[in-house]
């Protein structure tokens, strides 16, 4: 396999290093705008040098961002090259174009590192759906949010200090809004749900609430009630009806999610045969992410394409009712008050997210029942 590597940052350099010692694949050219000299590959500044090189059969996209990553990936597919990417925003945003294009061109397209970084999550979903129906996917999918929430909970750190620290450690996206507003988790949930359930979820029907507005007083309220706040994604599908949402969620201190420290991820599926299966590990970082990119390259060599066929469109029905912790001007039913916050009566998920849109300074967290 001859590889054209797009990007030589955190992930790209890791892919270059891991593949350097392998006999079955070789990075032939690296697209990098800085001047670099590599012993085993040619550094190029023009993508066309990779696109028009017929000896390159596979492109690894490790640039991040939507543009020009999308244009390059699309052009590579149209030219008949296989594509491996770790870019969840790209795969999710252009799912409706890239999946059918990969299928019509007969090229291999994989993105295991896009969800869970070093965890073999999408590849396990692919294996799982061969033998059973999956009814639920989700969990802690964003290291930055988990790092912030864990440091606020266990170390009493302020939100701002914990976010700054996450940025310094390289966990956060270039624009941390993608992390703290839940967008990164939302991308990862959509991809997971599409693969697990064999559908294409309508993104506009999947609401997201992030952790931007959490305060120390909220964390104190949670501790007083034996609860821990995590940003949790949830998607369910049964008898053709799907629900999906991302929101801060209060879990009991003894639950597995409550124990997830620092920037780790914990992602779970429920299968009709396997029952609950959870996957824990590094959701980001050079070598964990590059590890799964190289796993995808090995799978491409073995003839494996995307994890599931492009599925039919499905709208999420979020009429499920949950109890929420709300700090803000909630005027709906209230069960009790915790300091300045209300614990609501059961309310449909869709209704709470619609209210949050009108009250963007509020903080909400669903209270998960055991
Ligand atoms: N910013 C992401 C996170 C990186 O914190 O999980 C990995 O997708």
């Amino acid at each position: 396999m001859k590889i054209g590597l797009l990007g030589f940052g955190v992930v790209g350099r890791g892919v270059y290093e891991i593949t350097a010692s392998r006999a079955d694949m070789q990075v032939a050219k690296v697209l990098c705008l800085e001047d670099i000299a590599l012993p085993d590959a040619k550094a190029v500044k023009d993508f066309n040098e990779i696109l028009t090189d017929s000896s390159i059969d596979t492109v690894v996209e490790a640039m991040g961002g939507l543009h020009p990553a999308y244009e390059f990936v699309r052009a590579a597919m149209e030219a008949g090259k296989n594509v491996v990417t770790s870019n969840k925003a790209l795969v999710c945003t252009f799912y409706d174009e890239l999946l059918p294009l990969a299928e019509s061109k007969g090229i291999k397209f994989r993105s295991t590192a896009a969800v869970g970084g070093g965890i073999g999550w999408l590849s396990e979903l692919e294996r799982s759906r061969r033998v059973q129906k999956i009814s639920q996917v989700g969990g802690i999918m964003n290291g930055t949010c988990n790092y912030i929430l864990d440091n606020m909970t266990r170390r009493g750190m302020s939100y701002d200090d914990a976010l700054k620290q996450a940025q310094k450690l390289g966990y956060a996206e270039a624009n941390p809004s993608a992390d703290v507003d839940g967008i990164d988790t939302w991308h990862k949930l959509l991809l997971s749900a599409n693969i697990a359930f064999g559908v294409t979820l309508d993104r506009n029907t999947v609401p997201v609430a992030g952790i931007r507005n959490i305060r120390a007083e909220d964390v104190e309220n949670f501790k007083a009630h034996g609860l821990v706040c995590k940003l949790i994604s949830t998607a369910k599908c049964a008898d053709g009806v799907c629900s999906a949402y991302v929101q801060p969620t209060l879990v009991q201190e003894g639950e597995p999610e409550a124990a997830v420290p620092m920037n780790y991820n914990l992602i779970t599926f429920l299968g009709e045969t396997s029952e609950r299966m959870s996957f824990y590990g590094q959701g980001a970082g050079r070598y964990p992410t590059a590890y799964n990119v190289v796993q995808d390259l090995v799978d491409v060599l073995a003839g494996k394409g995307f994890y599931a066929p492009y599925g039919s469109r499905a709208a999420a029905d979020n009429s499920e009712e949950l109890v929420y912790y709300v700090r803000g001007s909630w005027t709906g039913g209230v069960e009790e008050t915790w300091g300045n916050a209300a614990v609501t009566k059961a309310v449909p998920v869709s209704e709470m997210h619609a209210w949050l849109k009108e009250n963007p300074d509020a903080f909400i967290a669903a209270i998960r029942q055991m």
Side-chain angles (χ1 to χ4, degrees), residues 18-65:
I18 296 173
T19 52
S21 58
R22 295 187 65 98
D24 56 351
M25 57 185 73
Q26 186 206 350
V27 174
K29 289 182 180 168
V30 178
L31 179 70
C32 177
L33 297 181
E34 281 147 38
D35 289 317
I36 49 165
L38 298 168
D40 301 316
K42 186 178 173 204
V44 300
K45 291 193 172 152
D46 180 358
F47 171 64
N48 282 314
E49 283 204 45
I50 289 174
L51 187 65
T52 57
D53 184 338
S54 58
S55 73
I56 291 178
D57 51 89
T58 303
V59 163
V60 170
E61 185 276 311
M63 310 170 71

Side-chain angles (χ1 to χ4, degrees), residues 88 113-114 117 141-145 171-173 179 184 188 263 265 283-284:
K88 58 261 160 175
M141 295 177 159
N142 182 271
T144 300
C145 288
Y171 305 149
E173 300 294 313
D179 295 297
D184 178 76
K188 292 167 175 170
N263 67 321
N265 287 191

Side-chain angles (χ1 to χ4, degrees), residues 10 43 50 55 57 101 120 123 125 152 155 158 170 174 200 230 240 258 261 264 271 279-280 288 304 310 315 346 350:
V10 174
I50 289 174
S55 73
D57 51 89
L101 180 61
S123 50
L125 281 185
M152 288 180 79
R155 299 185 175 173
S158 74
T200 302
K230 297 289 181 181
Y264 280 89
F279 299 81
Y280 173 81
K304 275 193 182 178
Y310 179 65
S350 51

Side-chain angles (χ1 to χ4, degrees), residues 197 244 306:
F197 308 143
F306 204 67

